[in-house]
Each structure stands twice: as structure tokens, then as C-alpha cells.
Amino acid sequence: MLLAEDDRAIRHALERALTLEGYEVTAVADGVEALAQAHRRQPDVLVLDVMMPGIDGLQVCRVLRAEGDRTPILMLTALVETADRIAGLDAGADDYVVKPFDVEEVFARLRALLRRTGNAGDLTGKSSPEASGPVAPGAAGAAGPAQESGLVSAAGVRMDVQARRAWRGSRELELTRTEFELLELLVRNAGIVLDHATIYDRIWGYDFGPGSKNLAVYVGYLRRKLDEPGAPALIHTVRGVGYALRED
């Protein structure tokens, strides 16, 4: 794991906590060193502070994504506005934690990111539980949407899960890792209203509670990429319950 945080106290505390949790951590103090370390030895996951001198976390994220590096990235940010969070997602980040944070929340988000890349056991020695109930991203045998050899489709959306590509009609969608996982979950369960707790569990592996805006931010950003002028909206909000993918 590569950790980049310019605040010495936070960096040392987080490095110590992650090491005790079983992670192998390389900790650096700025974005320049983060890029150098990432190029020297590709980590399994990156934890990047947004606000760093010189090259900040968003710039590090953009550079790596432009190079085709798909390593999962968790951003640490003191910026709480939705626009700031969207900027991180737009840069290619997979998830974020708002400062001040509980270290257990960092652990939970890292476990979720690593489960989705198949590296959780390698880094921490912990296995992840198998999903039950609604069909999870990557699962086989779902009823409803058409599926064949890693291809799933519903409501005019097609996804090649193995190639991690998605289309609405003929238009290909440019999605981050988390956006892809969320859309896949909705497509595999098309027509079913998935509650917030279920989506949090399937995508992040942890329910962050009713006060969290994490899911709403990702749904909003996914809608911006998915919706088309004059075409019906596909992701529907069922107030007080959750979200469903369907064509009305």
C-alpha cells in the first residue's frame, strides 16, 4: 500500500494503524514522491490526501489514470462540499474519506476496494464474506437482465464485465471503478428497488449509516454520465428506500 499525506502527525498515526492492521505501508509526504513510488513499484492500493503541496492528490490521481494505471485509490479530504467530492471522482478516485475520520472507516473502505480487486486476502490475510440476496457485481446466474459470457444488459444498458466496458445504446460510458460496480449491481438487479444498506454492503462492504452522502454522490455522478437529453432516466430514486434501474 502507498500512503501519501503531508500532515506528519496524521501520516505517522495512519501508517502505524494500517501496519497494525496487517498492511505493508510505504508512507510519503507529497505528491511528487507518491508518483515516484508508484512508478517504482506498483502498489495494491493508494491512499492519497487531496491537499498536498506541489502536486496534490487529485493531480497524482489524474496522472496515474492517464497512464492507464487502474490501481484502486482512496482519497483523504477535508473538503466536504459535493462539488469537491465530484472533483475527486472525476479525477479517477474510487472512494473518499472526509477528515476528521475514524480509522475503522478507512479500514472498511480499504477492505471493500481490495475485495473488488481480489487482493484483500493478500494484504490483510482476511477473507471476505460471500454475497447473498441481490446479485452482486461480478456474480453469475442472475435472473432478469440478459447475461452471457460476462455480458449483462438491461434497460438499454450493456456491460462487458470482463473488459470493464459499458454502453447506453451505442454510446460508451467512461466510468470509474466504483461507478462501474454500482451500475453493474443495478443492471443485474434491474427493476428491483435496492435499499441503501444493500448497496453499501455490495459496493463498499460497509453501511456508513443514514448520515452518509457517499451513495447519493455516486448515484448523482453516474446519472450525469448515463442520462441523455430526451431519453428516459434510468436510475430512479424511491424516497426513503433506495434506487432502481428501469425504463419507464
Side-chain angles (χ1 to χ4, degrees):
M1 170 192 295
L2 177 58
L3 166 65
E5 165 64 67
D6 68 316
D7 187 301
R8 183 177 179 180
I10 295 177
R11 183 174 68 253
H12 287 178
L14 195 51
E15 180 183 10
R16 187 182 311 112
L18 289 165
T19 300
L20 289 173
E21 187 70 4
Y23 294 95
E24 294 183 8
V25 184
T26 298
V28 298
D30 57 58
V32 173
E33 185 61 23
L35 281 174
Q37 288 289 344
H39 290 149
R40 189 173 300 125
R41 180 185 177 189
Q42 184 176 17
D44 294 289
V45 63
L46 291 93
V47 180
L48 301 175
D49 182 32
V50 171
M51 303 296 289
M52 291 188 290
I55 298 178
D56 65 21
L58 295 181
Q59 290 173 297
V60 172
C61 193
R62 292 189 187 100
V63 168
L64 293 176
R65 294 307 188 228
E67 294 173 348
D69 190 325
R70 304 310 303 169
T71 303
I73 295 176
L74 175 66
M75 306 296 290
L76 306 177
T77 179
L79 306 173
V80 296
E81 296 298 326
T82 299
D84 297 316
R85 299 176 185 183
I86 288 175
L89 305 180
D90 201 24
D94 297 288
D95 203 355
Y96 63 89
V97 175
V98 177
K99 298 177 180 178
F101 51 78
D102 187 321
V103 71
E104 292 296 331
E105 181 180 357
V106 175
F107 292 162
R109 292 177 185 268
L110 285 172
R111 287 194 297 268
L113 284 177
L114 292 167
R115 273 199 299 272
R116 283 148 53 192
T117 58
N119 291 327
D122 295 339
L123 282 183
T124 66
K126 300 177 181 178
S127 59
S128 58
E130 292 185 2
S132 59
V135 180
Q147 317 184 41
E148 181 180 353
S149 302
L151 303 177
V152 294
S153 63
V157 176
R158 296 178 297 114
M159 305 186 74
D160 185 333
V161 177
Q162 295 178 351
R164 303 196 69 81
R165 299 176 67 187
W167 300 262
R168 179 173 186 179
S170 61
R171 178 172 60 89
E172 185 165 4
L173 309 171
E174 295 293 331
L175 305 176
T176 67
R177 183 189 303 274
T178 300
E179 291 165 357
F180 189 95
E181 298 283 355
L182 178 57
L183 182 59
E184 183 188 351
L185 178 66
L186 292 169
V187 168
R188 288 185 182 276
N189 296 278
I192 300 171
V193 179
L194 299 177
D195 61 68
H196 298 93
T198 295
I199 298 175
Y200 273 124
D201 180 65
R202 297 294 182 263
I203 302 301
W204 286 276
Y206 186 82
D207 186 351
F208 298 104
S212 174
K213 302 297 184 183
N214 201 44
L215 178 56
V217 169
Y218 277 97
V219 168
Y221 204 56
L222 185 56
R223 278 172 169 156
R224 290 183 180 90
K225 294 187 176 183
L226 192 61
D227 290 351
E228 298 175 342
L234 298 183
I235 301 177
H236 298 267
T237 301
V238 180
R239 194 171 299 278
V241 182
Y243 301 95
L245 182 96
R246 64 175 184 268
E247 275 186 307
D248 285 344

